[in-house]
Amino acid sequence: DGGITQSPKYLFRKEGQNVTLSCEQNLNHDAMYWYRQDPGQGLRLIYYSQIVNDFQKGDIAEGYSVSREKKESFPLTVTSAQKNPTAFYLCASRVTGTNEKLFFGSGTQLSVL
Amino acid sequence: KQEVTQIPAALSVPEGENLVLNCSFTDSAIYNLQWFRQDPGKGLTSLLLIQSSQREQTSGRLNASLDKSSGRSTLYIAASQPGDSATYLCAVNQYRDDKIIFGKGTRLHILP
């Protein structure tokens, strides 16, 4: 089945720890996105990438880092500099183009211990 | 800076009613607008995508319209069912940087 796989589904972070959220897609999509969702809120863009080895900051990139070494993979690292990391993290992808639908993974819930 | 607003934030209606969800955006320089559905604790599912040159799109009981010049879109749901209960979000894909910006959503509850 084609789709976007996010792992783990639940993740716990200790103070001062970096954690990495995985996002893998087998849809052959060029563009990939990371969003953060807080309770009762919409989605806020963290980082996005339109081609391999290139990515751009979204609206709330501070405290996060990404890499795009392979077309299929776009991991997100939540660093210790992110002081309020508890949120639902969503990865998305789409074909590059002006009118292509966005597809989402099932999300990772990150909580602080 | 693009701002996307959805009204109302929450809505409860009896089963069988037709309803309208609203989305407005401040910068009309967009490629398209999408409507999504999100169930609790889940990812988003795309419902409809309207290109900037289009006025509306239909899928089953759903109809979405776009008035780009006034910065508005509506999602019309006909003959609502309890299974339609979810949060509905709209998002615009803006020209200048290809970002996709979301509203905060409308939480819909269909009463059996």
Side-chain angles (χ1 to χ4, degrees):
Chain A
D1 284 340
I4 302 172
T5 301
Q6 289 189 242
S7 62
K9 188 172 178 62
Y10 300 97
L11 186 58
F12 298 91
R13 193 190 89 166
K14 296 179 182 178
E15 288 286 338
Q17 186 182 40
N18 293 350
V19 292
T20 297
L21 285 61
S22 171
C23 179
E24 303 276 335
Q25 54 95 2
N26 61 3
L27 300 168
N28 200 32
H29 288 172
D30 295 299
M32 298 187 74
Y33 302 77
W34 274 106
Y35 288 92
R36 169 181 172 141
Q37 186 176 34
D38 293 283
Q41 300 296 311
L43 279 64
R44 291 185 290 167
L45 182 63
I46 305 172
Y47 270 99
Y48 63 115
S49 167
Q50 291 167 311
I51 57 172
V52 174
N53 293 322
D54 188 41
F55 48 83
Q56 290 78 40
K57 292 183 179 180
D59 299 317
I60 56 164
E62 187 174 348
Y64 300 97
S65 66
V66 293
S67 63
R68 187 84 188 278
E69 297 177 1
K70 298 187 299 182
K71 187 177 184 178
E72 304 80 21
S73 179
F74 191 40
L76 174 73
T77 296
V78 183
T79 74
S80 57
Q82 173 50 246
K83 298 306 180 187
N84 184 24
T86 297
F88 190 51
Y89 290 85
L90 287 158
C91 177
S93 72
R94 65 171 185 165
V95 173
T96 300
T98 57
N99 288 301
E100 299 293 337
K101 287 186 177 181
L102 195 61
F103 293 84
F104 279 84
S106 56
T108 293
Q109 176 64 50
L110 175 62
S111 302
V112 176
L113 289 176
Chain B
K1 180 184 173 184
Q2 177 77 264
E3 292 186 7
V4 181
T5 303
Q6 291 189 245
I7 295 173
L11 181 64
S12 292
V13 300
E15 180 179 2
E17 284 199 4
N18 303 326
L19 57 99
V20 174
L21 307 181
N22 297 291
C23 173
S24 62
F25 48 95
T26 55
D27 184 350
S28 62
I30 63 171
Y31 287 122
N32 59 64
L33 183 145
Q34 287 187 76
W35 282 93
F36 294 86
R37 169 186 172 134
Q38 185 180 29
D39 293 292
K42 306 292 186 184
L44 280 68
T45 300
S46 180
L47 298 172
L48 290 164
L49 181 148
I50 312 176
Q51 299 177 28
S52 62
S53 59
Q54 296 176 325
R55 299 288 287 184
E56 64 179 76
Q57 280 286 331
T58 298
S59 176
R61 293 183 295 109
L62 305 179
N63 175 277
S65 68
L66 175 65
D67 183 343
K68 198 176 78 158
S69 61
S70 68
R72 295 173 190 249
S73 176
T74 61
L75 179 66
Y76 175 83
I77 303 177
S80 59
Q81 303 170 357
D84 294 331
S85 297
T87 296
Y88 291 80
L89 297 99
C90 68
V92 297
N93 183 189
Q94 55 189 33
Y95 278 155
R96 55 185 171 87
D97 51 15
D98 206 26
K99 287 182 180 177
I100 300 174
I101 308 297
F102 281 79
K104 293 184 178 181
T106 294
R107 193 168 62 254
L108 177 64
H109 183 207
I110 306 300
L111 305 167

